[in-house]
Every structure is written in C-alpha cells, then in structure tokens.
Amino acid sequence: MNIDICKVIELPKIADPRGNLTFVEGGDHIPFDIQRVYYLYDVPGGAERGGHAHKALQQLIIAMSGSFDVVLDDGKDKKRIHLNRSYNGLYVCPMIWRELDNFSSGSVCMVLASNKYAEDDYYRDYAQFMRARWQV
Ligand code: TYD
C-alpha cells in the first residue's frame, strides 16, 4: 500500500448548459462500496485538517466547491495534490498519512469512505504510524 496507489480519479461528467452533473458508484468508479459520506466546510483561512492515517479505511476526497491541497505520506514518499474540480476525486488507500491545507474561502471537501466511523481505525500519532507502517 504505497503512495503510488493514491491517484486522482476523473469521475463521469454529464456536461449540460443547465449545469453539469457528476456521479460516483461504489465498486465501479472507485474500488470500494460507500458506507459513509462526510464533509468539511466553513474551514477558516490557514486551517489544517487531517493529520492522521487509517488502518483499513479507503477514501475518495472531492473538492465539491473551491480548492484545497492534500499532502499524502506513506513514510517514504510524500506528494502534494491540489484539488479544485468537482469531477475529480483523490483515492486514498489505507496506511497513508494525510494532511489537508490551503483551503480556499468557502471551499467544501467531501469524503466518500469505505467504512463507518471507527476511532480504532485511526493512527493519530505519526511515530506510531511509522512503526506500524514499516514494522520497525
Ligand atoms: P477527524 O477525522 O480527525 O477530522 P479530519 O480528518 O477531517 O481533520 O475527525 C474530527 C472529529 O470528528 C473527531 O472527533 C471524530 C469525529 N468524526 C465523527 O464522529 N464521524 C466521522 O465520520 C468523522 C470523519 C469524524
């Protein structure tokens, strides 16, 4: 489960002069069934979210409105991805440390998740994550 598995997926877009439409079907456009949806909004300027990894959870992160950056870190490699399109989703596999920052004013970050919320699926301590990730 390294960082190369985490990619921006281009979702279907039905372009229409009345307004565009995008849809996501679990197990089809993304490699998991959707068990939960949550979203971040009213994020103050300069705020950072995330700062954790998940043991088993898979996620698709979408900038529904505005833009923000996601920094992914598998303990060896890091990459910063700018999301600013409602028809793009960043797939994040398990065991990846992530941080979200650079939120534009009024942005909305929607996350589709493969499981319901479970605190015991989180690594919130980076050193603990690194030990588990690389078994050191
Ligand atoms: P957290 O996952 O740390 O937020 P983020 O990664 O977006 O910065 O969650 C923040 C708080 O919200 C934490 O107390 C757990 C709670 N929470 C839920 O109760 N259900 C959920 O689905 C999520 C994502 C978080």
Side-chain angles (χ1 to χ4, degrees):
M1 287 294 181
N2 66 29
I3 214 168
D4 299 330
I5 300 170
C6 303
K7 285 198 177 0
V8 174
I9 295 172
E10 188 165 338
L11 300 166
K13 177 180 171 186
I14 313 292
D16 192 307
R18 299 171 301 160
N20 300 330
L21 183 153
T22 285
F23 56 95
V24 187
E25 293 182 359
D28 186 358
H29 306 111
I30 53 175
F32 59 86
D33 285 329
I34 301 159
Q35 291 281 332
R36 175 168 52 117
V37 177
Y38 67 92
Y39 33 96
L40 301 169
Y41 52 97
D42 292 346
V43 179
E48 292 178 9
R49 300 290 317 217
H52 55 73
H54 286 282
K55 295 175 188 171
L57 193 72
Q58 303 177 73
Q59 294 175 307
L60 189 81
I61 304 177
I62 303 172
M64 294 303 284
S65 183
S67 65
F68 51 84
D69 291 357
V70 185
V71 180
L72 299 177
D73 175 2
D74 66 10
K76 281 191 174 156
D77 296 310
K78 255 190 190 193
K79 61 182 176 189
R80 176 176 286 271
I81 294 146
H82 184 63
L83 292 178
N84 62 351
R85 299 278 180 248
S86 314
Y87 56 83
N88 281 341
L90 174 63
Y91 171 71
V92 183
C93 67
M95 296 303 281
I96 301 289
W97 191 268
R98 90 289 312 277
E99 278 159 19
L100 287 78
D101 62 15
N102 201 20
F103 285 88
S104 69
S105 168
S107 57
V108 179
C109 167
M110 184 174 78
V111 183
L112 310 181
S114 63
N115 283 305
K116 293 190 176 160
Y117 170 73
E119 186 57 36
D120 63 3
D121 186 64
Y122 281 74
Y123 287 106
R124 292 194 183 272
D125 178 76
Y126 189 77
Q128 205 185 351
F129 160 70
M130 286 294 276
R131 279 196 296 276
R133 188 73 175 79
W134 304 106
Q135 321 267 302
V136 289

